[in-house]
Amino acid sequence: MYASFKSIGAYVPPKKLTNQDFEKMVDTTDEWIKQRTGIEVRYIASEEQSTSDLAYEAAKIAIERSGLKHSEIDAIVCATITPDFLCMPSTACVIADKLGISHITAFDISAACSGFVYAMNIAKAFVESGIKKNVLIIGAEKMSSIVDYSDRTTSILFGDGAGAAVIGTSDKKEESIIDLHTSSDGAYQDFLITPGCGSKNPCSQKVLDEGMHYLKMKGNETFKLAVNTLTRDVKNILEKNSMTSDDIDFFIPHQANFRIIDAVARKLNFPQEKVVLTVAKYGNTSAASIPMAINDWYESGKLKTGDLMLLDTFGGGLTWGSAIVHFNQK
Ligand code: ACO
């Protein structure tokens, strides 16, 4: 039995934050942001919405499109770095409750922007080992809850959102997740970090006063590593499966920066029409970025059942990963 990508869903919160808005908030320009990142707009959750609310909306759509009943989902894995609660309960448990599903395996994973591909790896293992039948995987983030809106180097990059998929079973290889690779290197842990409010620097007035609860990033160093690591990772997974860019219908990378995506796509000979780009309209939504991009391509009619997707991601940890996946929503 193979693991199969059965459906996609996504949710974008209603509040728009444009580059022009940022011009009023920090010392930046629309031109700088567009040139350096490709981002034009991102969407921000309301104060009342937490990550589980965004995830719930995406999950409902994904389950409906899979044709399954809520009761047929037997595990939920939520990838997020902005959980509803720092320690417990997990966001996955809260989402399960909102969906009206109980007595199933539900847990969160933390792999920053690589979270969705990591979650898919877990789902594939669950399904192919026979432990679970239908795993709901979610990438959901309220990045606005950890972004310092006075810091022009990070605030302009991130948006909120959620994407979800059901990973079920198929007996056909041409409907399956062909291969998947995840990796990490903790030596670069300080490249992307929220230093405060964990066990290392527990929450205190001092931690808050120093802004240690906000996301910090060594942007330029991360950029260079991202391009090289992603290129190598995609080359490896293609070679391992005796494929080239010609065999792939859509290259769907993590949407962090247009320049990173463009550099990797060029090095790997992906023609423009095969490269999925949503960074301009959503910014970097961390673990939600890949499923939101898949959903965007599906809803715009470009992604069809049977298409072969190459997913590719890189994020805090550092973590990275890639996957060759048939889109099998019927
Ligand atoms: N507006 C205007 N100027 C700015 C802004 C801004 N918003 N931000 C930074 N600058 C300035 C800097 O201060 C610097 O000025 P200086 O030369 O006087 O010191 C100058 O612009 C250049 O700064 P760099 O950081 O070198 O700019 P760079 O071209 O690298 O672009 C960026 C910055 C967009 C952050 C880029 O490095 C990037 O995208 N990095 C990778 C992000 C990423 O992939 N993260 C991983 C995933 S995220 C996750 O896991 C949660």
Side-chain angles (χ1 to χ4, degrees):
M1 198 56 84
Y2 298 106
S4 178
F5 195 104
K6 295 275 190 181
S7 66
I8 189 71
Y11 174 74
V12 182
K15 191 180 164 204
K16 218 177 195 180
L17 204 50
T18 65
N19 292 351
Q20 287 72 23
D21 293 325
F22 276 99
E23 287 180 343
K24 294 175 205 139
M25 293 156 66
V26 287
D27 180 15
T28 193
T29 60
D30 172 46
E31 198 194 349
W32 192 96
I33 300 173
K34 278 204 293 227
Q35 229 173 48
R36 299 291 180 119
T37 71
I39 301 169
E40 292 170 25
V41 181
R42 45 323 260 145
Y43 291 84
I44 303 297
S46 68
E47 263 177 50
E48 298 76 40
Q49 283 178 310
S50 62
T51 295
S52 68
D53 295 313
L54 313 182
Y56 165 69
E57 297 298 337
K60 262 194 318 191
I61 300 169
I63 298 173
E64 194 193 319
R65 287 178 180 164
S66 73
L68 296 169
K69 296 190 203 88
H70 284 203
S71 57
E72 289 173 285
I73 299 293
D74 52 8
I76 298 179
V77 184
C78 179
T80 185
I81 51 167
T82 52
D84 279 19
F85 305 102
L86 187 58
C87 309
M88 58 187 156
S90 73
T91 312
C93 282
V94 179
I95 298 164
D97 182 51
K98 287 181 175 161
L99 289 167
I101 309 173
S102 58
H103 300 102
I104 61 160
T105 301
F107 59 94
D108 291 356
I109 58 158
S110 168
C113 303
S114 308
F116 187 75
V117 174
Y118 267 64
M120 196 185 296
N121 206 355
I122 294 165
K124 183 176 189 290
F126 269 161
V127 167
E128 291 184 352
S129 62
I131 294 173
K132 303 288 177 193
K133 268 198 176 127
N134 298 303
V135 183
L136 175 67
I137 59 171
I138 302 168
E141 304 283 12
K142 186 175 176 179
M143 293 303 287
S144 58
S145 66
I146 56 165
V147 162
D148 177 357
Y149 283 100
S150 67
D151 175 8
R152 69 174 183 173
T153 66
T154 53
S155 60
I156 52 124
L157 299 171
F158 296 99
D160 300 338
V166 173
I167 308 299
T169 56
S170 172
D171 54 5
K172 299 187 184 76
K173 195 161 188 211
E174 65 274 17
E175 293 186 344
S176 73
I177 299 171
I178 301 283
D179 198 9
L180 205 152
H181 174 251
T182 51
S183 193
S184 68
D185 191 346
Y188 299 103
Q189 58 190 273
D190 62 337
F191 274 34
L192 274 147
I193 188 165
T194 44
C197 294
S199 62
K200 185 146 176 97
N201 301 296
C203 217
S204 66
Q205 195 55 53
K206 182 172 175 287
V207 163
L208 295 178
D209 288 345
E210 290 176 6
M212 289 167 73
H213 54 303
Y214 290 130
L215 174 153
K216 321 272 177 205
M217 179 169 70
K218 293 187 180 175
N220 200 267
E221 291 91 328
T222 307
F223 186 100
K224 287 174 198 149
L225 257 182
V227 173
N228 293 333
T229 309
L230 289 173
T231 308
R232 195 177 57 239
D233 205 46
V234 172
K235 253 191 192 142
N236 286 347
I237 199 166
L238 284 172
E239 272 170 25
K240 188 177 156 219
N241 290 279
S242 307
M243 288 182 182
T244 69
S245 54
D246 292 343
D247 298 301
I248 303 297
D249 293 301
F250 291 111
F251 176 51
I252 311 183
H254 169 50
Q255 307 286 315
N257 185 317
F258 170 75
R259 289 189 295 139
I260 296 178
I261 298 171
D262 191 49
V264 174
R266 278 173 198 273
K267 285 184 188 211
L268 295 164
N269 297 322
F270 278 103
Q272 250 177 11
E273 63 275 13
K274 285 193 178 187
V275 182
V276 172
L277 278 170
T278 56
V279 67
K281 50 197 275 199
Y282 303 134
N284 180 350
T285 57
S286 186
S289 110
I290 286 185
M292 285 172 76
I294 297 172
N295 186 69
D296 208 87
W297 240 236
Y298 167 70
E299 288 190 351
S300 65
K302 293 176 199 138
L303 180 66
K304 303 253 171 25
T305 305
D307 280 348
L308 194 57
M309 311 182 282
L310 199 163
L311 315 181
D312 185 26
T313 188
F314 186 88
L318 294 174
T319 55
W320 61 92
S322 50
I324 299 176
V325 183
H326 283 286
F327 182 67
N328 190 33
Q329 184 173 293
K330 303 283 187 201

